[in-house]
Amino acid sequence: KTMLGVGAMIVLLLVFFLLFLLFMPIPLNLSIKYLDDFYEIKFYKINLLSSDGGIIKKFIKDDTVKKYDTSHNIKEEVEEKAQEKIRGTKFSMILLFKNLSNNRYKPYFKVNSNIDFSVNDAAGTAILYGLLNSLNPIIFKILSTFFKIKNFDNKFNPIFKDKYIINISIMCILTINIAKIIYMLFLIKKSSIPIRGGAH
């Protein structure tokens, strides 16, 4: 009986631990910068892509120098079989938009951005400033379709100088958990519709 009690306790602790992992909020931090022809995209402190390097650029470079090997034909067969399975369905962006917008378990999203700009003309810069500010409600509406917005601070800063300037700094934090990721993947999968006359 003691062994059974210990076993049940261990199983219970494992269940609680798995549930904790499933619903534990995970903050994902992404920053984007563009300044004087230098660009940089970082995930936390990791350089994903920048004008002087980054993981993605290295991966693309390494991938282009790889040669086809003997497994190429096998890869083609696997891809062809995968295509056979999905020929009977078609991905619908409209259905995806509907499913994600009606999602009751949207991840939380925060964004802080500063965009400095000049179009080499004071009057043109002032007009553009007004137009860009009018976009903020639209941007907020689009983001709130897919996320629960915790903070939205998007600033357009006009610089009245006789030259072209564009400096961008964006900091995003997406808070999500594994359960929400699974549910969103399910919604994406639901966004495929059958094609008449397709494969069965």
Side-chain angles (χ1 to χ4, degrees), residues 9-51:
M9 182 65 70
I10 292 172
V11 171
L12 193 61
L13 287 172
L14 284 173
V15 169
F16 276 117
F17 180 69
L18 290 173
L19 287 174
F20 174 75
L21 287 180
L22 198 62
F23 295 99
M24 180 182 69
I26 305 169
L28 305 177
N29 194 320
L30 184 72
S31 63
I32 301 170
K33 290 183 180 179
Y34 179 86
L35 176 64
D36 295 332
D37 295 328
F38 172 81
Y39 63 89
E40 181 182 71
I41 301 174
K42 280 189 174 182
F43 179 69
Y44 290 99
K45 299 291 184 179
I46 302 170
N47 183 4
L48 294 181
L49 185 66
S50 67
S51 54

Side-chain angles (χ1 to χ4, degrees), residues 170-195:
I170 302 174
M171 177 69 73
C172 305
I173 300 177
L174 177 67
T175 305
I176 198 167
N177 56 45
I178 296 173
K180 288 181 179 180
I181 292 172
I182 293 171
Y183 186 67
M184 289 180 74
L185 290 173
F186 169 73
L187 292 178
I188 292 170
K189 185 174 175 59
K190 276 184 63 179
S191 302
S192 294
I193 56 177
I195 301 172

